[in-house]
Amino acid sequence: MALRIGDIAPDFTQESTAGPVHFHEWLGDSWGILFSHPKDFTPVCTTELGYTAKLKEQFAKRNVKVLAVSVDALDSHTKWVGDINETQKTTVNFPILADPDRKVSDLYDMIHPNANDTFTVRSVFFIDPKKKVRATITYPASTGRNFDEVVRVIDSLQLTDNYSVATPVNWKYGEDVIIVPSLQDPEVIKQKFPKGYTAVKPYLRITPQPNLP
Ligand code: BEZ
């Protein structure tokens, strides 16, 4: 069955461009992004992995480790990384899992046979430090993902965990957020949101992003 939000991300050991990855141990106390690409030496994947490498500081700031996977073999990945670095003017700085036996692809249901029975679709799994799946994104092979959106989702998830807020439609970092409806105790609200809030409706309470000065 497909993985759902709230499930524990399955553990595995698999080879990668940075040596064997024991997934849960490798994650440690970090957040994780596990994302699949359909095939090495393909144009969209080349741009995605290059851009992800350029986000290294953004992920590090948020305590996020990034791990790519495809069903291609390790020697193919290693050769392809050279092309990514050359064409995208970067250095791939995260491991790419080699998954020719489809161990990881099958565990995470990344092969959608009615789309293609050999290659993975473009999946993204957002995994929290307790190893829970917190969000997923699935795109077809022909549509490159928006990795700025991946960072934005991480920001939203971390704000929810740390400050009991949700993020509204098209929210961008720095904009107002919403106090989660489950938070009702006025004393706790006063303590958590010293800048106050505006109750547009009893269930729609807007407050400045709480982790900013
Ligand atoms: C790509 O990465 O460019 C790609 C891969 C599979 C199908 C279409 C595009």
Side-chain angles (χ1 to χ4, degrees):
M1 193 166 77
L3 279 173
R4 294 176 175 173
I5 290 175
D7 291 349
I8 294 295
D11 197 13
F12 57 79
T13 296
Q14 189 63 297
E15 279 301 328
S16 86
T17 50
V21 171
H22 310 288
F23 188 49
H24 282 194
E25 186 187 323
W26 178 84
L27 282 169
D29 294 330
S30 300
W31 288 71
I33 298 292
L34 174 65
F35 69 108
S36 56
H37 59 268
K39 200 168 164 37
D40 294 358
F41 300 102
T42 49
V44 176
C45 300
T46 300
T47 61
E48 285 189 331
L49 269 68
Y51 193 80
T52 303
K54 291 177 188 168
L55 290 174
K56 179 182 172 159
E57 297 306 322
Q58 296 303 319
F59 286 124
K61 230 166 40 181
R62 293 162 174 83
N63 188 32
V64 178
K65 286 186 172 176
V66 172
L67 184 59
V69 57
S70 91
V71 295
D72 287 319
L74 195 55
D75 62 335
S76 164
H77 285 353
T78 306
K79 287 182 199 134
W80 182 41
V81 163
D83 280 8
I84 299 170
N85 291 346
E86 176 198 328
T87 61
Q88 306 305 302
K89 310 273 181 280
T90 189
T91 302
V92 172
N93 43 37
F94 50 85
I96 307 174
L97 294 171
D99 197 39
D101 61 0
R102 299 181 174 197
K103 191 199 296 181
V104 178
S105 307
D106 285 343
L107 266 178
Y108 282 79
D109 197 31
M110 290 164 164
I111 294 176
H112 296 194
N114 290 328
N116 186 301
D117 57 11
T118 312
F119 304 130
T120 60
V121 292
R122 296 187 193 281
S123 303
V124 186
F125 290 87
F126 298 75
I127 298 163
D128 74 12
K130 292 184 177 145
K131 316 288 184 283
K132 259 194 192 164
V133 174
R134 296 289 298 274
T136 64
I137 291 176
T138 307
Y139 278 18
S142 52
T143 304
R145 288 157 289 196
N146 182 335
F147 278 78
D148 295 330
E149 170 66 3
V150 171
V151 173
R152 194 188 74 98
V153 172
I154 287 283
D155 282 337
S156 174
L157 293 168
Q158 293 186 345
L159 281 169
T160 302
D161 285 7
N162 296 332
Y163 297 96
S164 308
V165 294
T167 52
V169 60
N170 293 347
W171 172 83
K172 292 191 207 69
Y173 195 89
E175 294 179 352
D176 288 352
V177 296
I178 293 169
I179 300 174
V180 294
S182 57
L183 197 56
Q184 291 295 334
D185 184 328
E187 281 312 308
V188 177
I189 291 174
K190 208 190 288 179
Q191 185 202 329
K192 281 193 174 230
F193 304 103
K195 293 177 206 153
Y197 67 91
T198 304
V200 181
K201 290 280 180 191
Y203 57 84
L204 176 54
R205 299 168 298 175
I206 310 285
T207 191
Q209 187 176 315
N211 63 326
L212 297 179

